Amino acid sequence: MIPLSEAPIPPSFPASMRFFRTFTFYISRFNIFGSIIFQLHISRFLKIIFVLIFCSSFLLCAQPRQLTLQGAVELAKENSPYFFRAKNTYERSYWRFQNFKANFKPQIRLNATAPTFFRSINPVTQPDGSIEFRRVNQANNSIGLNIVQNIGLTGGQLRFGTALQRTDNFLAGQASFFLSSPFTLAYDQNALLYNELKWRKLIEPLTYETANRGYDEDMEGAGLTAVGVFFEGLIAQVAVEISLTNQANTDTLYKISKERFSIGKITENELLQLELNMLNAQNQVNEAKVNLEIASQNLKRILGLPLTEQLVYTLPPPIPALSISPELALSEARNNRKALIDFKTQRLEADRQLAEAKGSNSINFSVLANVGTQQTGQRFSDAYSNLQNRQYIGVNIDVPIQDWGYRKSQIKLAKANRELVEVTVKQEEITFEQEIYLQAMRFNQQNGQLTVAQKADTIAQRRLEITKQRYLLGKISITDLNIALNETVQARQNYVNVLKTYWTSFYTLRRLTLFDFQRMEKITYGEKRF
């Protein structure tokens, strides 16, 4: 135990405070230094996160789009110029039909004349035949409300209305007058032998149905256009792949042949031929890349894709075991295509022209009938008291007596046009049926051709590998190797071209029939709203 005398003396209060302050000073400095280090680490961490996000987004943006045939077709039906043209064409027909339907509904019209003031001196014929000049100083006001209804059965127009007119005379001693027509019923018939409204009621619905089906055909046409530009890009991409493969093959063969030439296994002529093949392969790669870029730019413009976006075309597989009956295709085309409606419309239009020629160039009648009430008075109430009846009927007759054959020639011209339309429509019907029947047969033939082309491509690839091995062993010449290379290129290109023909035939048949032979259902694009 430490003696009391040897025990340490505790520091005085000021010394203890100095120690505490020193301790807290270093602790605070340590906290500041630690917070600075922590903030530096946080800032570095945020920078790293930002760089990673930026790089990942850049890589995602730079990743090319995998474009399939079906994807290209859907894009064409949503964003291509062909889609907007089809939409605008249909919209025009839609509003034309709405205008036609509105023409057979009651039209309410308000007509009014704002105050019309005039001051003049007018000549007035007296009962004895003399002329006296009188000063006129007055204002006229009028307002009327009419309901107009076209009558499709007769081709006339029925009007029901009411009107009020006020005349103010400003000369001394003269008053104002009201003229009322509380009730007016009028019927106007311009022609009795030709009814324009009846023919419009027959033709306009057919025209609108033609526009409906035409919209569906235009949408399928947009898809068919997309098939064409898609395969142009795909063929260009396959050409790039073939040229790159050829470049790698020729480069490898040239390097191996240089070693064989150094030991005397091949002649200098063969080495030069391989070097020439390598240079030609390099040129083919450059040319193929330019063609691919041109085809891709064309496709992007048609599909509405960004021009800077990179595309990779996916080789579409054929539809497994699909055979289309020509009779089914023809039956669906007759039910769905606009051509059949258009044929009927052409015949009706020719009949209308013939009826117009007969009705307009013979005896013409026009009828105007008007019944109602009227009254006049100096006060407003007087104009609606003790109403007087008002009737009018008029019949106009126009009879051609001598027209030097004008009427007869007009009718003969309309008949000749009717016969021409009938002959033309019959020929178009035959062409219509032949086109669909032959297109169905052509598509069915593509199945066999596609199988042969695919097998030929596989055989050519296998033969090229065997030929390269035999050439390296010195068993065949450079000529045989070049033949194998060319046959491989031709087989690959032929397969892609046959695949293009196959899908083009399929989408052409869809457009010609408006029928989906995969789902076995009618092609329609639903209700169009504007």
Side-chain angles (χ1 to χ4, degrees):
M1 185 174 183
I2 301 175
L4 184 60
S5 59
E6 297 181 3
I9 301 174
S12 61
F13 180 75
S16 299
M17 288 297 298
R18 285 197 299 271
F19 172 78
F20 177 76
R21 288 177 180 177
T22 304
F23 177 76
T24 55
F25 172 78
Y26 285 109
I27 290 296
S28 62
R29 292 298 180 267
F30 176 78
N31 288 336
I32 295 173
F33 181 72
S35 63
I36 293 173
I37 294 177
F38 178 75
Q39 291 177 1
L40 288 176
H41 282 291
I42 289 295
S43 62
R44 288 180 181 179
F45 179 73
L46 292 176
K47 289 180 180 179
I48 293 173
I49 292 297
F50 176 77
V51 171
L52 290 176
I53 293 175
F54 176 79
C55 293
S56 61
S57 62
F58 176 78
L59 291 175
L60 290 175
C61 295
Q63 185 177 3
R65 176 198 286 260
Q66 299 289 332
L67 185 64
T68 62
L69 176 62
Q70 185 64 30
V73 170
E74 294 301 324
L75 285 173
K77 294 178 181 179
E78 296 174 357
N79 203 32
S80 69
Y82 302 95
F83 160 71
F84 291 107
R85 183 171 63 183
K87 178 182 176 182
N88 292 335
T89 301
Y90 174 79
E91 185 176 359
R92 183 180 60 181
S93 300
Y94 172 82
W95 288 116
R96 173 181 171 177
F97 187 64
Q98 296 302 316
N99 177 265
F100 159 75
K101 292 195 299 183
N103 195 39
F104 287 89
K105 296 179 180 179
Q107 308 290 326
I108 302 176
R109 300 174 183 173
L110 176 67
N111 54 79
T113 301
T116 303
F117 174 79
F118 60 92
R119 177 187 298 170
S120 64
I121 298 176
N122 297 332
V124 179
T125 303
Q126 302 300 311
D128 59 356
S130 61
I131 296 178
E132 182 177 345
F133 292 92
R134 293 186 178 182
R135 186 182 300 275
V136 179
N137 186 5
Q138 61 183 214
N140 292 323
N141 303 271
S142 65
I143 186 171
L145 183 67
N146 295 289
I147 301 177
V148 182
Q149 173 68 58
N150 291 321
I151 308 299
L153 182 63
T154 61
Q157 189 178 78
L158 184 66
R159 295 192 304 275
F160 171 78
T162 180
L164 177 65
Q165 179 179 348
R166 173 178 173 172
T167 300
D168 296 316
N169 292 318
F170 298 108
L171 295 177
Q174 298 193 18
S176 300
F177 291 91
F178 292 91
L179 174 62
S180 70
S181 299
F183 170 77
T184 302
L185 181 64
Y187 179 78
D188 186 10
Q189 179 79 40
N190 291 327
L192 296 178
L193 302 181
Y194 173 70
N195 187 347
E196 175 70 21
L197 295 179
K198 183 192 76 172
W199 287 103
R200 287 193 64 190
K201 290 184 71 174
L202 293 175
I203 294 175
E204 288 297 332
L206 295 179
T207 303
Y208 181 61
E209 180 61 24
T210 301
N212 267 318
R213 299 187 179 188
Y215 177 80
D216 296 336
E217 291 185 23
D218 290 341
M219 292 294 286
E220 285 299 307
L224 181 60
T225 302
V227 171
V229 294
F230 174 84
F231 272 100
E232 288 179 3
L234 179 61
I235 291 173
Q237 178 179 281
V238 170
V240 171
E241 295 171 356
I242 292 174
S243 61
L244 289 173
T245 303
N246 287 342
Q247 183 184 26
N249 289 335
T250 54
D251 184 65
T252 302
L253 290 173
Y254 177 70
K255 292 179 180 178
I256 295 174
S257 298
K258 283 178 67 176
E259 297 178 359
R260 296 180 64 194
F261 174 74
S262 63
I263 59 177
K265 291 289 185 178
I266 62 173
T267 63
E268 184 180 4
N269 183 47
E270 292 183 355
L271 182 63
L272 293 175
Q273 179 64 48
L274 288 171
E275 185 178 5
L276 181 61
N277 290 346
M278 183 181 64
L279 296 176
N280 289 334
Q282 293 176 357
N283 291 332
Q284 290 173 1
V285 169
N286 296 331
E287 183 179 357
K289 288 182 178 180
V290 171
N291 293 334
L292 175 60
E293 183 63 24
I294 293 174
S296 297
Q297 291 291 327
N298 185 36
L299 181 137
K300 293 172 190 175
R301 288 186 175 91
I302 291 178
L303 301 187
L305 296 175
L307 297 180
T308 57
E309 186 174 9
Q310 297 297 319
L311 299 178
V312 175
Y313 302 90
T314 303
L315 193 68
I319 304 173
L322 179 61
S323 179
I324 298 176
S325 170
E327 289 76 15
L328 174 63
L330 185 58
S331 175
E332 293 298 332
R334 288 171 177 169
N335 295 330
N336 304 333
R337 284 283 302 278
K338 72 173 184 179
L340 277 299
I341 305 296
D342 188 55
F343 294 155
K344 186 177 181 180
T345 304
Q346 292 182 42
R347 290 188 173 100
L348 281 175
E349 181 62 27
D351 291 338
R352 185 198 67 79
Q353 293 177 2
L354 179 58
E356 184 180 13
K358 291 180 178 180
S360 301
N361 294 285
S362 58
I363 300 176
N364 291 329
F365 293 90
S366 63
V367 179
L368 177 60
N370 192 328
V371 295
T373 57
Q374 273 188 329
Q375 185 57 278
T376 183
Q378 292 186 352
R379 294 181 302 176
F380 179 80
S381 58
D382 295 339
Y384 285 91
S385 301
N386 300 322
L387 299 176
Q388 302 296 317
N389 293 330
R390 173 189 176 189
Q391 299 90 18
Y392 172 83
I393 184 170
V395 179
N396 295 327
I397 302 177
D398 183 7
V399 181
I401 298 177
Q402 177 59 266
D403 58 4
W404 308 104
Y406 176 79
R407 173 180 175 272
K408 182 178 179 179
S409 63
Q410 286 289 98
I411 296 175
K412 289 292 184 181
L413 178 61
K415 287 182 177 180
N417 181 66
R418 176 67 177 84
E419 295 174 358
L420 177 61
V421 168
E422 184 64 29
V423 172
T424 303
V425 167
K426 286 183 177 180
Q427 184 61 42
E428 290 178 352
E429 288 175 343
I430 295 174
T431 304
F432 171 82
E433 295 179 356
Q434 287 180 345
E435 181 183 15
I436 295 170
Y437 195 88
L438 294 176
Q439 187 63 37
M441 295 181 62
R442 187 178 297 114
F443 173 77
N444 292 332
Q445 291 176 353
Q446 295 300 319
N447 288 314
Q449 294 181 3
L450 189 61
T451 302
V452 172
Q454 188 174 15
K455 186 175 181 180
D457 180 47
T458 304
I459 292 174
Q461 295 289 340
R462 178 59 179 162
R463 179 175 179 271
L464 177 61
E465 294 298 326
I466 296 174
T467 304
K468 287 194 298 183
Q469 296 298 328
R470 295 187 65 192
Y471 175 76
L472 294 177
L473 295 175
K475 294 182 178 182
I476 59 174
S477 64
I478 186 63
T479 303
D480 296 326
L481 179 60
N482 288 334
I483 292 174
L485 286 170
N486 292 332
E487 289 180 350
T488 303
V489 172
Q490 292 176 1
R492 187 61 175 172
Q493 292 177 343
N494 181 63
Y495 172 67
V496 178
N497 287 328
V498 172
L499 193 62
K500 174 185 177 181
T501 305
Y502 174 88
W503 281 106
T504 302
S505 299
F506 176 74
Y507 277 94
T508 300
L509 200 56
R510 279 173 55 103
R511 185 183 64 83
L512 292 177
T513 61
L514 289 182
F515 189 77
D516 190 341
F517 294 95
Q518 292 177 279
R519 300 180 179 178
M520 298 301 293
E521 62 183 14
K522 178 182 177 181
I523 296 175
T524 180
Y525 289 90
E527 185 179 0
K528 303 89 178 174
R529 297 184 180 273
F530 302 102

